[in-house]
Amino acid sequence: MESLISLINKLQRACTALGDHGEESSLPTLWDSLPAIAVVGGQSSGKSSVLESIVGKDFLPRGSGIVTRRPLVLQLHQIDEGKEYGEFLHLARKKFTDFAALRQEITDETDRETGRSKAISTVPIHLSIYSPNVVNLTLIDLPGLTKVAVEGQPESTVMDIENMVRSYIEKPNCIILAISPANQDLATSDAIKISREVDPKGERTFGVLTKIDLMDKGTDAVDILEGKAYRLQFPWIGVVNRSQADINKSVDMIAARRREKEYFMNSPEYKHLADRMGSEHLGKVLSKHLETVIKSRIPGIQSLINKSIADLESELGRLGKPIAADAGGKLYLIMEICRVFDQIYKEHLDGVRPGGDKVYNVFDNQFPAALKRLQFDKYLSMDNVRKLITEADGYQPHLIAPEQGYRRLIESSLVCIKGPAETAVDAVHSILKELVHKSVDETVELKQYPSLRMEVGSAACESLDRMRDESKKATLKLVDMECCYLTVEFFRKLPQDIEKGGNPTHSIFDRYNDSYLRRVGTNVLSYVNMVCAGLRNSIPKSIVHCQVREAKRSLLDHFFTELGKKESKALASLLNEDPAVMERRVSLAKRLELYRSARAEIDAVAWAK
């Protein structure tokens, strides 16, 4: 079981080193889940003396007013033999064998954090003591509760201390060591009062009664120690601290423990309780209870660690990778992010993600509907047919069929198709641009870098603009080609149709009668419809080739070319990440390291068992 306390000691040290010591956080802290014993007491309650008795050494600062101004995480490690020494987490590898120097370092480290203003701080000092005279135990010494701030401290200090103490002891994993002096009314005890508020049933509270030897003659603390005056789930433990005279004379702590034991054994009032009184017994009881609590909490700690690791990895994934320091690393990162964007864009076009189907809708519905809405009847009205045929004949009337008239009628009709063709190009262009914006929003990595996000979006849209212009040229060429070269087979049928429908021996004027002109208009409309049917298939192919396929193939090619010309400073400007995001990533990475390490430590203990 000793390995369990050592495990918690390691985890607490790791928490403190990485700044995870119970302060407010968007994620649950490991510190909050670790069982610990918080020492609570008012000023002059004998709190420091109790701790020193458990340790067997003078090591805590003493003086008037509020001496303890930061939490002190005190980890006791029992060693088989050797010289006693202490180590601070903030002074790695420095061993203090002189406990007077250790006491001075506590004072100095407090001042480093709070200054000499006598202010308080929630950041703990972490101290480990190795000795053959201690039990394996972890205690958190908290500032003494007070009702009046001393000179040089703000009035809020009293409430600040209470809030700090409360933040520790209200956690369900905290064991409360409530220190109360026997020569004061227990009803006025600051430690009992605040403990009762957070632990009304006394399920987590150990009561310690100090200064029993200083009670008025004729009075004793038997009712309290027997649990009759104020009942807790655990038996009260009485201690007899060294007197101020003993402290001044530097009376040996081991000798003081012996005298304490003799006091209880020789006092008629307490003789029957002697076997469970004294600081040495207190240390053993607390150590055993802490082991029991740790064992019961391990599954919950493991669960919290696993969940926290998943949460941290998820958030780090959302924040993205840290920025490389060199130009090559920055360029590689930008290219990788662009590839992710490009892949998402292709998935939209290929149907893996929604949006690409809108392009098909242009070809299947919008473009054919626009062709149907073309009013060829206006171009092929009787008057227009007569006018164009007459003008095309010039001074010589046509002999069999008005070829030039046919050409002019067909060309003027086919020009109308350019409108729907251009509209189809623009419609597809709008869809492709919309998919760029969607893909930018869906590329999580781009959210990390606003400047790169804007540049990628702009570069993609500029490429689409160039593709649209090329697509319009190609599409309009298809229409122009139909105007430039008419299908021969169509014309070869015309003489036969004329022979079937009329008499070629009629005079020239008869050939311009309404029946003849209607037949010309009908022939032209038939040819134009045939061309429209062909363009309905070929124009979508042209658009897909020039826009959709090209967007899939080379959407960011121009951007990549320009990117390769940029220097490190320009690349860095594209990756101008929010400093708050950078700090958050570092913080999360450290915490993730802590939790992974904690999981490994717990697993190692579990396997050992």
Side-chain angles (χ1 to χ4, degrees), residues 185-229:
D185 187 353
L186 195 61
T188 64
S189 167
D190 294 316
I192 291 299
K193 177 178 177 293
I194 197 168
S195 299
R196 184 184 294 170
E197 290 175 5
V198 299
D199 181 30
K201 295 182 180 179
E203 295 173 344
R204 298 187 287 114
T205 303
F206 281 83
V208 177
L209 209 58
T210 63
K211 303 185 180 181
I212 292 176
D213 56 327
L214 301 181
M215 295 182 71
D216 293 338
K217 288 184 179 181
T219 62
D220 59 54
V222 173
D223 283 350
I224 297 174
L225 295 175
E226 289 182 345
K228 295 175 182 177

Side-chain angles (χ1 to χ4, degrees), residues 98-119:
D98 180 357
F99 279 72
L102 190 147
R103 179 193 301 118
Q104 185 60 46
E105 179 58 31
I106 293 175
T107 301
D108 293 344
E109 177 60 15
T110 299
D111 289 340
R112 289 185 198 110
E113 178 69 26
T114 64
R116 298 186 179 277
S117 61
K118 296 186 179 180

Side-chain angles (χ1 to χ4, degrees), residues 64 248 356 422 465:
S64 60
N248 294 339
E422 286 186 294
D465 289 344

Side-chain angles (χ1 to χ4, degrees), residues 178-364:
I179 310 292
S180 301
N183 59 352
Q184 293 180 14
D185 187 353
L186 195 61
T188 64
S189 167
D190 294 316
I192 291 299
K193 177 178 177 293
I194 197 168
S195 299
R196 184 184 294 170
E197 290 175 5
V198 299
D199 181 30
K201 295 182 180 179
E203 295 173 344
R204 298 187 287 114
T205 303
F206 281 83
V208 177
L209 209 58
T210 63
K211 303 185 180 181
I212 292 176
D213 56 327
L214 301 181
M215 295 182 71
D216 293 338
K217 288 184 179 181
T219 62
D220 59 54
V222 173
D223 283 350
I224 297 174
L225 295 175
E226 289 182 345
K228 295 175 182 177
Y230 184 81
R231 180 174 293 278
L232 296 171
Q233 183 169 317
F234 306 101
W236 280 79
I237 298 174
V239 298
V240 174
N241 299 327
R242 291 177 302 162
S243 65
Q244 189 60 48
D246 290 338
I247 294 171
N248 294 339
K249 293 176 184 177
S250 299
V251 172
D252 179 68
M253 195 69 71
I254 304 301
R257 282 183 181 176
R258 188 167 52 250
R259 272 201 289 182
E260 178 188 42
K261 188 177 293 186
E262 290 171 355
Y263 173 83
F264 285 109
M265 291 180 68
N266 297 329
S267 297
E269 301 91 341
Y270 308 115
K271 190 174 183 179
H272 67 293
L273 300 171
D275 62 334
R276 58 181 181 86
M277 295 291 119
S279 54
E280 191 172 354
H281 174 74
L282 173 62
K284 291 177 181 177
V285 168
L286 292 177
S287 178
K288 186 176 181 180
H289 182 70
L290 182 59
E291 289 170 351
T292 304
V293 172
I294 291 171
K295 186 177 181 181
S296 67
R297 295 288 193 275
I298 287 294
I301 294 173
Q302 287 177 309
S303 177
L304 170 68
I305 287 174
N306 290 332
K307 182 180 183 303
S308 297
I309 287 174
D311 291 342
L312 289 165
E313 289 176 339
S314 175
E315 186 169 355
L316 276 171
R318 288 195 299 271
L319 292 179
K321 299 176 182 177
I323 303 170
D326 60 300
K330 290 184 176 71
L331 182 60
Y332 177 79
L333 176 61
I334 293 172
M335 295 286 284
E336 283 298 299
I337 293 172
C338 289
R339 287 191 186 98
V340 173
F341 159 78
D342 199 47
Q343 182 58 36
I344 291 173
Y345 189 71
K346 288 175 181 175
E347 288 175 1
H348 277 294
L349 292 176
D350 292 337
V352 178
R353 297 171 186 249
D357 55 305
K358 292 182 179 179
V359 174
Y360 176 72
N361 183 60
V362 171
F363 301 147
D364 194 51

Side-chain angles (χ1 to χ4, degrees), residues 363-375:
F363 301 147
D364 194 51
N365 294 311
Q366 296 179 29
F367 180 55
L371 290 177
K372 285 181 180 178
R373 287 195 297 271
L374 290 176
Q375 297 179 349

